[in-house]
Amino acid sequence: MRRLLALAILSTAPAGVWADEPLRYEDGAATFKANCAVCHRPNGAGTAGLAPPVTVYPPRFVATAEGRRQLVLTSLYGMYGEISVEDRRYNFKMPEFSRLDDATLAATLNHVVFDLGRAPAEAKPIEAAEIAAERTIAVDGAEVRAHRESVIGRLPQ
Ligand code: HEC
């Protein structure tokens, strides 16, 4: 019985996502698969030379107000300019996704942060209102990248 259950979980989880735990954000997973996985892969590990893993910084960003804002800005407005993640460099354009509604973007980011990135369970999920708050002024992808640098400089260790 237990083995059957494990098989059922394995067969529904996207490849590479931790098979021992059910997804917390299934709607977010579906949106991620449809819009993001082509570059970041279904498990968020990224594509060398093209798109960074989303499992390294996003689960850390969610812990601070500016980090949360960084996640929201990246998904709403995209980002370009060189970044580095775990000593690998990336310099390609992350598209903007402002066409997705607030609840959809929040669920997608929560899938990234909690299901793929495994942020601590007690971290506060991103709320739709946090997305809505950043829609008032459009931000250029180069500014999103500059903001990322300042956020990383102030992350708790
Ligand atoms: C066309 C490829 C592509 C698609 C599709 C894409 N991204 Fe990205 N993403 C990138 C690239 C490239 C970067 C890094 C940009 C840079 O170098 O400045 C990035 C960066 C990110 C980051 C920042 C990671 C960090 O360490 O700061 C997050 C978060 C992210 N993407 C989430 C998403 C989400 C969520 C979606 C779907 C809604 C998505 N991406 C779709 C290419 C893509």
Side-chain angles (χ1 to χ4, degrees):
M1 183 60 200
R2 191 170 280 176
R3 185 174 296 171
L4 269 180
L5 190 63
L7 274 176
I9 292 170
L10 271 175
S11 59
T12 53
V17 172
W18 313 91
D20 54 334
E21 281 183 24
L23 293 175
R24 271 176 71 180
Y25 296 95
E26 292 207 17
D27 290 354
T31 308
F32 188 86
K33 215 170 156 189
N35 296 277
C36 323
V38 62
C39 294
H40 293 291
R41 314 276 310 275
N43 65 0
T47 309
L50 175 73
V54 287
T55 49
V56 178
Y57 282 103
R60 298 182 64 199
F61 286 160
V62 80
T64 68
E66 280 306 299
R68 300 169 74 83
R69 186 160 176 257
Q70 177 63 23
L71 290 171
V72 174
L73 292 177
T74 306
S75 61
L76 272 178
Y77 302 117
M79 177 161 68
Y80 59 86
E82 187 177 283
I83 67 165
S84 78
V85 180
E86 289 182 324
D87 296 330
R88 285 193 183 207
R89 286 162 199 278
Y90 301 86
N91 192 352
F92 189 62
K93 201 167 191 293
M94 156 90 188
E96 57 103 14
F97 285 93
S98 59
R99 65 180 179 278
L100 299 179
D101 67 41
D102 297 341
T104 301
L105 275 181
T108 309
L109 288 175
N110 285 326
H111 172 65
V112 166
V113 164
F114 294 98
D115 291 330
L116 303 179
R118 297 212 131 182
E122 64 273 16
K124 193 165 137 311
I126 303 275
E127 286 170 19
E130 292 175 75
I131 312 277
E134 301 300 339
R135 285 198 195 259
T136 46
I137 320 163
V139 181
D140 182 77
E143 285 174 53
V144 176
R145 183 198 158 276
H147 185 256
R148 181 182 185 276
E149 294 300 302
S150 78
V151 169
I152 288 178
R154 284 179 282 132
L155 277 179
Q157 285 314 303

